[in-house]
Amino acid sequence: MLDVTNPRTLGRSICIITGASRGFGRALAHKVSRWLQPGSVLLLVARSETLLQELKGELWSFIVDQQSAVHCVAADLSTREGLDETVRVARQEAVTEMDRVLLINNAASLGNLSNFATFTGIDEVNSYLSFNVSSALVLTAGILQAFPRVPLQQRSVVNVSSTFALRPLPSWVLYCTAKAAREMMFRVLAEEQPHVKVLSYSPGPMDTDMQRDILRLTGVKNHLLPCQESAEKLVKLLLDDDFVSGTHLDFFKLKKLTSRDDTTM
């Protein structure tokens, strides 16, 4: 079903991007839309209806020229209603046969940056993990059920991860725990369903609201990447499609490998 005459395409896809209204998710929406074939559906999910509609306006002329569609779902993914609505709209809008189902789990939050021993209230911890871990599990399971395996169709799931999924950092217990849990969760998916291509991608520190919060809360100022640069790297990984399912790939390590390959050519 994929256009073998033009392998550098995502084909006719339904692509669901969570956390699409800002930062990395917004940049991904722009990058992904350039590689969709006619008949595709781009489903943008976030809490802010206003920001989603602004993004839809930015994409509209290009998407229309591509004979594709863009739809917005203003939903709180920490709630059952938000998750159910996202799956319902995805199923409803993908009315034609698709080459690919692509889910990019980007929605996440920073959480409280405090010492381990301060987290004595279970409600705060449960609320954080519900949005940052449970919702990604439930949404991914819902999308996989809505789009069961069919011959020649590719199903791909991206977990937007972090170096802190693999490395502990003092005072970041909530963030590190959630990222590590998601990492293992999607590795289990890759083992359990070999016909689903799974990638955990660490995009690096980017120029986002989250990084401004980190600076305000910790005083740490990182060298920030443009969101578009890291988004382009992720899209290239999806187009090349030569990673091992379940793997964790880091923007900076990929950049080093690319630079090394360039010098040896």
Side-chain angles (χ1 to χ4, degrees), residues 172-192:
W172 288 59
V173 61
L174 289 183
Y175 189 84
C176 291
T177 297
K179 290 300 186 184
R182 281 172 60 141
E183 188 83 16
M184 182 55 69
M185 183 170 75
F186 287 107
R187 286 175 62 186
V188 170
L189 174 61
E191 290 288 330
E192 187 178 292

Side-chain angles (χ1 to χ4, degrees), residues 24-240:
F24 188 56
R26 197 179 187 99
L28 277 173
H30 280 276
K31 295 296 182 183
V32 166
S33 66
R34 268 51 183 173
W35 296 98
L36 298 175
Q37 290 289 89
S40 294
V41 176
L42 183 58
L43 190 62
L44 308 173
V45 186
R47 293 180 181 181
S48 172
E49 176 74 30
T50 300
L51 292 176
L52 285 174
Q53 290 299 329
E54 288 177 1
L55 175 57
K56 181 177 180 178
E58 294 169 8
L59 299 172
W60 184 252
S61 61
F62 183 82
I63 288 289
V64 169
D65 289 343
Q66 289 290 92
Q67 299 176 322
S68 295
V70 56
H71 297 283
C72 301
V73 180
D76 181 353
L77 294 181
S78 67
T79 68
R80 177 181 298 176
E81 294 78 12
L83 292 163
D84 288 348
E85 178 65 5
T86 301
V87 174
R88 184 193 69 80
V89 175
R91 184 188 291 114
Q92 171 185 290
E93 297 303 334
V95 293
T96 59
E97 198 173 63
M98 294 291 175
D99 300 326
R100 183 192 301 254
V101 178
L102 172 60
L103 171 62
I104 301 179
N105 287 292
N106 172 63
S109 62
L110 180 61
N112 185 354
L113 302 184
S114 298
N115 291 335
F116 192 105
T118 64
F119 290 99
T120 56
I122 197 167
D123 289 343
E124 179 185 7
V125 176
N126 283 346
S127 175
Y128 182 83
L129 294 178
S130 175
F131 176 59
N132 286 277
V133 181
S134 303
S135 69
L137 171 57
V138 172
L139 178 60
T140 303
I143 292 297
L144 292 176
Q145 284 190 13
F147 299 94
R149 183 188 175 199
V150 297
L152 301 180
Q153 183 187 76
Q154 182 170 350
R155 296 184 295 168
S156 304
V157 176
V158 176
N159 167 41
V160 177
S161 188
S162 166
T163 185
F164 297 125
L166 310 174
R167 180 166 68 90
L169 184 67
S171 298
W172 288 59
V173 61
L174 289 183
Y175 189 84
C176 291
T177 297
K179 290 300 186 184
R182 281 172 60 141
E183 188 83 16
M184 182 55 69
M185 183 170 75
F186 287 107
R187 286 175 62 186
V188 170
L189 174 61
E191 290 288 330
E192 187 178 292
Q193 299 205 32
H195 298 290
V196 177
K197 199 72 178 285
V198 181
L199 172 65
S200 286
Y201 174 70
S202 178
M206 297 171 291
D207 187 8
T208 62
D209 290 342
M210 183 181 288
Q211 283 294 325
R212 284 182 277 278
D213 287 341
I214 292 170
L215 175 60
R216 175 176 56 83
L217 293 169
T218 69
V220 175
K221 186 174 184 179
N222 294 306
H223 175 70
L224 303 181
L225 298 165
C227 292
Q228 295 81 355
E229 185 178 351
S230 192
E232 187 171 354
K233 180 66 71 175
L234 173 54
V235 172
K236 183 179 185 302
L237 287 169
L238 294 171
L239 291 168
D240 292 344

Side-chain angles (χ1 to χ4, degrees), residues 12-26:
R12 185 170 60 249
S13 303
I14 176 163
C15 175
I16 304 113
I17 303 175
T18 68
S21 63
R22 303 173 186 266
F24 188 56
R26 197 179 187 99

